[in-house]
Every structure is written in structure tokens, then in C-alpha cells.
Amino acid sequence: MKRIFLLLALTLSGLQLWADQAPKYVFYFIGDGMGVNQVNGTETYLSALEGRIGIRPLTFASFPNVALVTTQSHSNGITDSAAAGTAMATGRKTYNNAIGLLPDSITPATSVAVWAKTAGAAVGVATSVSVDHATPAAFYAHQKHRKMYHEIGRELPASGFDFFAGSDFLKPEPATPGEDDLYTQARKAGYTIARGYKDFLTRRKKADRMILLQTEEASRRDRSSLPFAIDRQKDDLTLTDITRSAIQFLTQKNPDRFFCMIEGGKIDWACHNHDGATVFHEIIDFDDAVRVAYEFYRNHPDETLIVVTADHETGGITLGNSNYTLHTELLRHQRMSSTAYTAHLALLEQKAGGHLSYERLRRDLTEQFGFGREVKLSREQEAEIRRTYEQTFTGEAKARESLYAGEHPIAALAKEILNHNAKLGWTTGSHTHGYVPLFAIGAGADAFHGRIDNTDIPNTIAKVAGYALPSKPYAQQEQTSPDEPAKRN
């Protein structure tokens, strides 16, 4: 009998210890497209800027708990962001393009954000792209296709989550006669909409729920995302601003418990575009946002969990393309993203009356990329610039297209030459099947280790944070969508 009482006492004490260690505050950071080499490349670049061979560690990559994550979807060996986001939000695989639905394309799967809300936590969903984009949408919406932006946007205020942030809605206009636009729908559901960080600071104390978007002027320029870090202007909303705002609002809403997903969405965009310098700047910017959460963790070390990972790798970036050398330091001479350089060239052409001289172009390439000054070019590279210039004005050279950008041929070539000289390589304009890393710190972080699947992440967060999983098993879990036949790649 004494042994039974002893075992019972040990069990109860163990349960109490687990409860005491459960995080009250959970940060879930997702670097879209951020594979192992994107992280390693950024740290290598930072070290090269100091004149050293090696790495200068990022904050999140220095977290003590590390895992490798597999990312395949239900339908494809290579996932898209919708299926990956759904897996990382709900713990369930689905077909590419699906948002928050199981493979039958009918059954909704609830997310860890919903589980956190049910457990009494304040909940935030934030991103550097639009609030209805694939990754944030997977935490609150249920749609057959990721491009159903208006339908996804309708579900945002219906979620009842406390805080949203991003650039804007992609399709806020009414879809049917008599319907309110999405801003009005959100306000009627009790959300205060702030435009920019200063406006947020003014409005947050009186708000019950909050949507933080960039300024209307910024959205007129580009509503789809915040500017790349390398292109940022003084008053642009940043992911660091968003993270700081999320903490301020969620602790105002519930000082005892919150969950927040924060996505660095444009790492992926830069990788699709094979823009190495812009990728590394985006990851540094993402790390700056994580550092805000890390400072919160330092003030609440026994109550906070930070998980940093990615949905998939994009671009198949390689660190090295010849002769055992790297020259990532050359990337420092790129002054703007190749997307922004396309707009810059259009402006130069306009100022030149529609015909930009080769001499003026060549000076500009030196100013914006260091060509011929810090970045030495081969005769072949110089000839290729001249040839592309001539073909551009005869119409032979066409704009280069990637998933999120159309580029001036000269902008595309300049980026390619700089990548080549820095010794970076790329294998695809799409995603890959490569592992992505996971880094964690804080209460419950030791539950993340080894090789795991992306579906394990939300389930593990729920377990350590004490969120209850759905009481009923999802129906038809292993069925294939009739719209998306299974592909075993």
C-alpha cells in the first residue's frame, strides 16, 4: 500500500512539475522558404562582412534545441506554402494549394491557434506579407485553394483571434452586390484597424481586437507585402514593429497567456527570384524580429517558449559554385533588391527620354552593384551586360519572370552576375524537398529534437503548452482530394 501511495505521489508531483514548466507565452516564428543553407549562408555573409571565414551566429540559430524537419505534403513530394502552412498549423497533411482542409477538400482542420484560444490564451497571427496569404491563412481559414483571397479574408474576423498584422488584404473589395468590404466586416466584428506602427500606438489601448496594416500610402504602392528589408524606407512598417506590437497587444489582452505566429514571408519571395543579397537581408530582418521575442523571453524565461522554423526550402540555394571559395562579402555592394532595381531602371529610362545610354547604365551598375569597382567583372561578363543592353532596346531580351516578380533583363543579369561572383548557386525557381531547420528555446523547448515532421510541430506546442487537441478524430484523413490526385514523388 505504501508503494502505491508513493507511486501516486510521484506521479502527481511529476504532473505538477510538467504544469509548472508549461509555457504561458508561445511564439511560433515561420521563415517562409528558409532552408538550412539560407540560414548558414546568412551567418557566413555576416562573418565575411567582418573579414573572417566562418559564421557570425544569428540569434535564433543559437537557440539550444535544434531539429531537422521534413516537409512533403499529402499530394506531392515537394510542398507548396498552403499545404505546408496547413501541416504546421493543424498537424495534418493536405494537398498542395489547400488551406486548413483535409485531403477530402471538405473537412476543416482546426489550428494550434484555435486550440490556444480555446485554452484561454490571447491569440495573434502576423506576417510581413498580406494577412490572407497562405501561411497566416492556414491558422484561421478553410478554403480549397490558397488564391481564394476574398473568401479567406472573410474568415479572418470570424476567427475571433485578438491580433492580426500584415501588409493588407489582397482583395478587400465586396465580392457581391450589397456586401461590405473586408475592412467594414472586420470593424463590425469588433476589430480596430491601425495603419502603421504610430497609429497602432495611438489606438491599441482602446481596442478590443486589432488588425495592424501598413499605411494606406504604402498599400497604394504595393498591398501584397511590406517592402524588402534591403529596400526599406524610414517610415515603412517592419516585422520588428509587428512583433513588438503583437507582444504589447496580446499582453494587454491577456497578461497571463498568449500564442502568436509570426511569419517572415518574403524570404521565400527573394529565393524564388534567386536574389542572394536580398535573401540574406530578409533573414537578418527576421532575426531582428525574433530578437524582440527573445528579449521578452529573457524577462520571462520560465514561462516563454520560442519556436523558429520554416515551411519549406525555396530555390535550392548552394553555398559554393567553384574552386572551394566563397565571396559572400561581395553581396554588400548590392544596394536594392533586383525587383526594386527594375523600377529604378524604368525611372532612369524615363528621365533619359526613353533611351538610356550604355554609359549611363554602366555607371549605374557600378553605383548599385559595385561592378567594375569592388566587384571585378570578367570580359565575358562585361560583354554579356553590353549584349543584354542592346537586346533590351531592340526587344530581343524579354522581362524575366519569377513567381512574385517580373524583372528588367538588366536587373536579372546584374543579380545573376553578383550571385556568381559571390559563389552562390541556385537549382530551381520553385521549392525543394530539403530539410528545414527548427530552433527552440524556453519552457518545453527540449521537446523539439532530432528529425521530425512538420505536422509534429503544432502537436508538440499544444502538448507542452497544455492546449487540448480536437476531441473528435478528423474524418477521411487519408483520402485524396478529388481535385488534387495524389502524387508520390
Side-chain angles (χ1 to χ4, degrees):
M1 184 64 71
K2 288 182 179 180
R3 182 177 297 176
I4 293 173
F5 279 121
L6 178 60
L7 288 172
L8 180 61
L10 289 172
T11 300
L12 291 174
S13 64
L15 290 173
Q16 183 60 46
L17 180 62
W18 180 266
D20 291 341
Q21 291 178 336
K24 296 179 180 179
Y25 313 111
V26 177
F27 295 92
Y28 190 2
F29 283 90
I30 299 174
D32 199 312
M34 187 183 71
V36 173
N37 275 0
Q38 279 84 350
V39 176
N40 188 15
T42 304
E43 294 185 319
T44 302
Y45 168 68
L46 289 170
S47 178
L49 294 183
E50 298 173 347
R52 299 186 296 106
I53 294 174
I55 65 167
R56 194 180 94 192
L58 295 162
T59 297
F60 69 79
S62 304
F63 289 172
N65 299 89
V66 181
L68 288 175
V69 184
T70 53
T71 65
Q72 70 282 351
S73 73
H74 178 81
S75 61
N76 294 69
I78 299 175
T79 190
D80 80 326
S81 289
T86 298
M88 299 176 74
T90 71
R92 305 288 169 164
K93 296 286 188 184
T94 193
Y95 59 91
N96 283 9
N97 290 315
I99 296 288
L101 292 176
L102 295 188
D104 63 4
S105 77
I106 298 171
T107 308
T110 58
S111 75
V112 63
V114 174
W115 311 337
K117 188 69 176 172
T118 303
V123 170
V125 172
T127 180
S128 61
V129 296
S130 62
V131 292
D132 45 18
H133 215 256
T135 302
F139 284 81
Y140 66 85
H142 312 280
Q143 297 294 334
K144 292 181 180 180
H145 201 288
R146 59 183 292 178
K147 291 187 178 180
M148 299 172 71
Y149 296 118
H150 188 81
E151 293 81 358
I152 290 169
R154 283 186 189 137
E155 294 194 68
L156 184 149
S159 71
F161 294 170
D162 302 283
F163 178 86
F164 287 94
S167 61
D168 212 315
F169 292 96
L170 280 178
K171 292 188 177 180
E173 300 81 9
T176 58
E179 181 188 13
D180 291 328
D181 65 28
L182 294 182
Y183 307 116
T184 302
Q185 290 183 39
R187 290 188 180 100
K188 286 184 176 180
Y191 286 88
T192 297
I193 299 175
R195 287 286 188 173
Y197 185 57
K198 291 180 181 178
D199 193 33
F200 165 80
L201 293 176
T202 300
R203 295 175 181 273
R204 74 177 177 91
K205 289 187 178 180
K206 294 183 179 179
D208 182 53
R209 294 171 180 159
M210 175 66 72
I211 300 174
L212 170 58
L213 306 174
Q214 65 186 357
T215 64
E216 291 182 356
E217 180 184 356
S219 281
R220 282 192 290 271
R221 291 193 300 268
D222 180 7
R223 70 186 315 109
S224 67
S225 65
L226 306 184
F228 282 121
I230 197 173
D231 299 327
R232 182 176 298 144
Q233 302 298 313
K234 180 181 178 182
D235 294 326
D236 289 334
L237 185 65
T238 71
L239 196 63
T240 296
D241 292 336
I242 285 173
T243 305
R244 188 174 290 115
S245 300
I247 293 171
Q248 291 170 338
F249 193 80
L250 294 175
T251 53
Q252 169 186 308
K253 186 72 177 182
N254 185 347
D256 296 321
R257 202 173 197 188
F258 69 69
F259 168 90
C260 192
M261 189 288 293
I262 302 167
E263 181 201 22
K266 293 193 77 173
I267 300 167
D268 174 70
W269 294 26
C271 289
H272 276 292
N273 211 28
H274 294 177
D275 191 345
T278 300
V279 170
F280 294 165
H281 279 277
E282 283 301 294
I283 293 177
I284 292 166
D285 190 64
F286 181 66
D287 192 55
D288 289 341
V290 175
R291 193 175 299 117
V292 173
Y294 180 68
E295 289 304 316
F296 182 91
Y297 156 80
R298 291 180 65 184
N299 291 324
H300 307 274
D302 298 324
E303 301 170 311
T304 305
L305 170 65
I306 305 175
V307 176
V308 182
T309 188
D311 53 352
H312 52 74
E313 194 277 340
T314 301
I317 190 173
T318 59
L319 308 176
N321 59 23
S322 66
N323 68 7
Y324 297 92
T325 62
L326 286 172
H327 292 292
T328 55
E329 72 280 357
L330 296 179
L331 298 173
R332 75 193 307 169
H333 303 298
Q334 183 173 328
R335 304 300 182 195
M336 62 182 76
S337 70
S338 59
T339 305
Y341 193 58
T342 291
H344 173 78
L345 286 174
L347 184 60
L348 287 184
E349 289 176 3
Q350 181 182 350
K351 289 180 177 179
H355 184 76
L356 182 65
S357 71
Y358 181 74
E359 291 70 23
R360 180 66 187 93
L361 171 66
R362 194 60 191 78
R363 288 199 306 274
D364 197 69
L365 287 170
T366 298
E367 292 166 9
Q368 305 302 334
F369 290 85
F371 285 179
R373 190 173 58 201
E374 298 91 353
V375 180
K376 306 304 179 185
L377 302 185
S378 68
R379 274 186 282 183
E380 290 80 7
Q381 289 171 335
E382 289 280 10
E384 182 63 18
I385 294 172
R386 183 72 187 229
R387 182 163 52 251
T388 302
Y389 165 82
E390 293 171 350
Q391 290 176 345
T392 298
F393 288 100
T394 62
E396 293 179 58
K398 304 297 183 183
R400 308 277 187 90
E401 298 290 335
S402 69
L403 184 60
Y404 292 105
E407 291 182 302
H408 191 289
I410 293 291
L413 178 62
K415 168 197 66 184
E416 290 168 5
I417 289 173
L418 187 59
N419 278 342
H420 178 80
N421 289 12
K423 305 299 183 181
L424 300 185
W426 301 87
T427 65
T428 179
S430 188
H431 302 168
T432 72
H433 184 58
Y435 288 122
V436 297
L438 181 148
F439 308 93
I441 193 170
D446 56 0
F448 297 94
H449 57 84
R451 182 174 63 188
I452 62 176
D453 188 67
N454 55 9
T455 54
D456 295 324
I457 303 172
N459 293 327
T460 303
I461 289 173
K463 179 179 178 181
V464 301
Y467 308 152
L469 295 170
S471 57
K472 294 181 180 180
Y474 291 112
Q476 301 173 320
Q477 170 63 32
E478 295 304 322
Q479 289 190 17
T480 300
S481 163
D483 301 320
E484 294 283 339
K487 301 173 186 175
R488 299 303 179 190
N489 293 347

